[in-house]
Amino acid sequence: MLGHDDLYPNAELPSFFWRSASHQTILAVSTLSRLFLYGLNKTEVNGLPRFLDLLRSRSDYKTRSKGLLTVSNHISVLDDPLIWGVLPLSFGAFHGYMNHRWTFGSHDICFQNTALSHFFTLGQVLPTHRGAYSPHGGPFQATMTEGVRLLSKITTSQPSLCPQNNPRLLKTSHTPSWPRDCVDPFSDIVPIPSYQSQPNDERWYHAPSRYACNAYSWMHIFPEGMIHQAKDQTMRYFKWGVARLILEPPECPDVVPMFIEGTDQVMHESRQFPRFLPRIGKKITVTFGKELDVEAVFGDLRKRWRELADRDAQERGHPAWDEMMLGIVPESLAHHPEAVELRKECARRIREAVLEVRRSRGLPDEDPKSGMVETWLREGPKREGLMDDGTWVKDT
């Protein structure tokens, strides 16, 4: 059983080297994205001032009181980082420092080698495994633990549980080293805050949840889990892993739904040679919805989740849900029927919030069945490409 001997210290900040390298990487990509959006395409943004005010209020990590989760449809391989090119560069340079978004990226695409792994790690992308390509995929993988913790309070006085590199739990332990591992080479604490995305991963990755400066962070997620390009701009069902980011943080994060249009024409899955080049001269629209009243939308689900977690903890011999387990779901809760239903309902409500933004764009309502897993069997048996229902899909 895990105990306080398994806790590791947290740090206040990564080294100046790491902070600077990460900030400059994100600004460089944001600059290229903005030049592409406004220099080579026609770009429209809705609801941006309100969203910038929200980001501005979160600039100082010491005064944040909750995390931020942005959620959107996914229609192109360039959605992230391209959509963040709508944020003014001056804003990103000053208010974005220690305040940029975190997101998830496919391990087998974004982390294929050391160079790519360093680039995406510095760009605040966390490695995730896709269930169709890895036995380590799914909503309970190690990176999801980082996601839940990034949306939570992190302090230097309360150490973190880190079972991924624990000599008591593993036959061998690993001392992360840079540049082989994507970690801060000038870290103030030992062992260097890091984790494996899966037990046999060849490298270790920077663990942002072990730094107080990342308390109540901003995370962006594409809950469809794959690119979906449809002429009528319908969305696939939302995979319920996103619900973990709503249900499990001690304080519910602010949730801002978004809707993206036009990036599918920039990199449509039917494109021919030169396939690797994005198309220009397209109309791109990014719409930021209003912050949700998270207590009204998710309050009942979070209450039921905590009651279920407390009950499960007691059955396992603990007085209540232990915060040191934050982001780590025991097997008894992973597939508990009530927990599964809570996650499904939470994902459905998040999808409905994105649909509201879609409606604000004047698009007709979807078939209500579009949000159901069973509906998407009509796509046919293929994983990618042109589906039987006429949509284009790419697993990302």
Side-chain angles (χ1 to χ4, degrees), residues 27-250:
L27 284 182
V29 174
S30 297
T31 299
L32 292 175
S33 296
R34 191 168 181 85
L35 288 173
F36 181 79
L37 286 176
Y38 292 97
L40 300 176
N41 297 276
K42 181 180 180 181
T43 301
E44 174 187 337
V45 188
N46 303 299
L48 182 60
R50 180 177 59 243
F51 185 66
L52 292 180
D53 287 342
L54 176 60
L55 293 184
R56 191 177 291 110
S57 72
R58 299 171 43 82
S59 295
D60 184 355
Y61 70 88
K62 295 180 180 179
T63 62
R64 297 175 195 156
S65 60
K66 58 175 65 176
L68 170 62
L69 180 66
T70 49
V71 186
S72 73
N73 58 322
H74 196 12
I75 58 174
S76 166
V77 295
L78 289 181
D79 285 345
D80 192 296
L82 196 61
I83 58 175
W84 306 121
V86 303
L87 304 181
L89 294 178
S90 58
F91 184 93
F94 294 101
H95 296 288
Y97 184 65
M98 309 304 294
N99 193 31
H100 290 296
R101 69 91 188 92
W102 294 87
T103 193
F104 301 106
S106 297
H107 182 275
D108 57 301
I109 296 177
C110 301
F111 298 84
Q112 296 179 41
N113 54 50
T114 301
L116 281 175
S117 296
H118 278 281
F119 173 74
F120 282 102
T121 299
L122 289 172
Q124 299 193 171
V125 179
L126 305 175
T128 55
H129 292 266
R130 301 183 288 173
Y133 301 91
S134 169
H136 306 288
F140 304 108
Q141 55 187 292
T143 292
M144 287 301 295
T145 299
E146 288 295 302
V148 172
R149 290 180 174 182
L150 282 170
L151 292 169
S152 307
K153 181 66 174 177
I154 306 164
T155 67
T156 55
S157 60
Q158 183 176 353
S160 295
L161 187 67
C162 186
Q164 290 92 355
N165 194 26
N166 191 318
R168 290 207 310 111
L169 303 176
L170 306 173
K171 293 181 180 179
T172 59
S173 59
H174 174 70
T175 300
S177 62
W178 184 87
R180 178 182 179 276
D181 297 309
C182 300
V183 296
D184 181 356
F186 303 108
S187 173
D188 291 334
I189 62 175
V190 177
I192 298 174
S194 59
Y195 74 102
Q196 277 182 304
S197 68
Q198 52 98 348
N200 299 316
D201 204 331
E202 62 181 345
R203 62 179 57 85
W204 289 66
Y205 301 96
H206 178 72
S209 71
R210 299 270 301 283
Y211 295 95
C213 65
N214 292 324
Y216 297 132
S217 283
W218 165 24
M219 294 207 68
H220 182 79
I221 189 169
F222 301 101
E224 291 170 282
M226 57 177 58
I227 294 163
H228 180 247
Q229 298 176 341
K231 293 180 179 179
D232 57 0
Q233 309 254 16
T234 55
M235 297 186 296
R236 300 180 91 252
Y237 65 94
F238 278 15
K239 297 183 177 181
W240 50 258
V242 64
R244 293 195 60 196
L245 305 179
I246 297 289
L247 298 176
E248 296 181 31

